[in-house]
Amino acid sequence: MKPIITASEYASESAGPRPPVLLDVRWQLGGPHGRPDYEAGHIPGAVFVDLDAELAGPAGSGGRHPLPGTEEFGAVMRRAGVSRDTPVVVYDGGQGWAAARAWWLLRWTGHEDVRVLDGGLASWQGDLETEVPAPAEGDFRPAPGALPLLDADGAAALARSGLLLDARAAERYRGDVEPIDRVGGHIPGAVSAPTSENTGDDGRFLPAPSLAARFKGLGADRAPEIGVYCGSGVSGAHEVLALAVAGIPAALYAGSWSEWSADESRPVAKGPDPQ
């Protein structure tokens, strides 16, 4: 199944006999909370999900956005109306990072029918509503492990044995600037692959052949395994989604640079080259 869906495709499915559960995951790193924007207007039927509080556990040694507890995540999804056999569509304000995080978590915990609205809310041409829906309780029970997941040691090993992509901006990869974490730079052996290069000016993913060519140019066709990390496991999920659009499976290092760099014993590489 394609991991993304267009607004027109969603509109058609939402009017059909098996409408998807729709999740609104508007979020900005360091920005205002997304709930007020949701309440001011959202795609009809959408249920708001809070990335910081519901798609991540408390920040700490595992990074800024560690994975949420399985039971807690399952409860959030059931309250949103998610069942094992219901299709799910996720959108955010347009950047795609938060929607991808929800997509990855649902896929990782075993839900097979999850798609991201390509282009986010900006791609929706229909009316918006302010009414907050009260969906019937779903029956989704998470079963983690359906997608590959890396820890810090696994990411370090993959950087040597396969291809580890760093989805952050190139200047953070090089260590020129680091506005958030303890130190700038990258995991030794990781290859710079900014998430911003997966989409066009409209925020929509590049065509699958273009994405496949991009990742091939980064070495994906020669790597036995591929992994992705970012700052805290959010934009990295977007890169895993872009790889999926291109038909390339990849693991996510969820702790990412915020976990890696917090441990002073872990090595840090700087500059434009992987080593």
Side-chain angles (χ1 to χ4, degrees), residues 38-138:
Y38 165 80
E39 293 178 348
H42 50 267
I43 298 175
V47 177
F48 182 76
V49 177
D50 186 333
L51 185 147
D52 288 320
E54 298 177 320
L55 301 183
S61 60
R64 283 192 308 280
H65 292 105
L67 299 183
T70 300
E71 289 304 316
E72 291 83 355
F73 176 67
V76 168
M77 292 296 103
R78 290 191 294 275
R79 285 197 301 271
V82 176
S83 290
R84 180 188 62 183
D85 296 326
T86 55
V88 180
V89 171
V90 191
Y91 74 91
D92 58 23
Q95 190 176 36
W97 294 5
R101 171 74 171 211
W103 168 84
W104 187 89
L105 279 168
L106 278 164
R107 290 289 295 110
W108 177 65
T109 54
H111 202 297
E112 296 182 353
D113 191 349
V114 190
R115 289 162 292 171
V116 168
L117 184 64
D118 196 18
L121 182 62
S123 69
W124 179 251
Q125 300 300 309
D127 293 334
L128 301 179
E129 69 176 17
T130 57
E131 179 182 353
V132 176
E137 183 91 358

Side-chain angles (χ1 to χ4, degrees), residues 165-211:
L165 300 176
D166 185 318
R168 298 172 300 157
E171 59 268 25
R172 292 184 68 193
Y173 170 88
R174 294 191 301 265
D176 298 347
V177 298
E178 183 43 67
I180 306 172
D181 294 311
R182 182 185 67 83
V183 63
H186 58 269
I187 297 173
V191 174
S192 181
T195 296
S196 59
E197 296 179 17
N198 295 325
T199 56
D201 293 340
D202 58 1
R204 301 184 190 189
F205 281 101
L206 300 177
S210 298
L211 288 171

